[in-house]
Amino acid sequence: QVHLEESGGGSVQAGGSLRLSCKADEYFLSTNCMAWFRQAPGKEREAVAAIYTAGTLTYYADAVKGRFAISQDNAENTVYLHMNSLKPEDSALYYCAASPLRCRSGAWYQEYEYKDWGQGTQVSVSS
């Protein structure tokens, strides 16, 4: 089991930026696909972005393409979510998730692809 800890959430105004971090424990190398999901009050959890940790493939939800970027630092066992041009509708609890399998282009956005989850970090964007 991979322990994941998110950080970097906060409150910003629309148009602002935040960088979320997801630090994994020593079993990080056993993961192959790391993803960010988010859940707003009253809504279902939705996928935001994913990265294949052994390569450079990345995946993004349409709602964040061109504004968000996912990256990794294997030396730090950390995956980042760089969020720019934030909108009020980006407000949510953001979760990090890890899979021991390679990201699948047709399923990276499905919760069942991921085995381990963090506790979440809150992002609030005001208009």
Side-chain angles (χ1 to χ4, degrees), residues 42-101:
K43 295 188 176 181
E44 294 186 354
R45 188 155 54 183
E46 63 178 1
V48 177
I51 186 166
Y52 173 45
T53 58
T56 58
L57 288 175
T58 56
Y59 305 85
Y60 295 96
D62 288 343
V64 305
K65 279 181 182 176
R67 300 189 298 120
F68 291 12
I70 189 169
S71 65
Q72 64 188 43
D73 184 338
N74 287 351
E76 295 293 328
N77 290 354
T78 300
V79 170
Y80 300 100
L81 185 66
H82 309 262
M83 306 187 295
N84 300 310
S85 302
L86 283 161
K87 304 175 181 180
E89 51 264 43
D90 294 318
S91 298
L93 188 61
Y94 282 71
Y95 297 90
C96 179
S99 170
L101 304 176

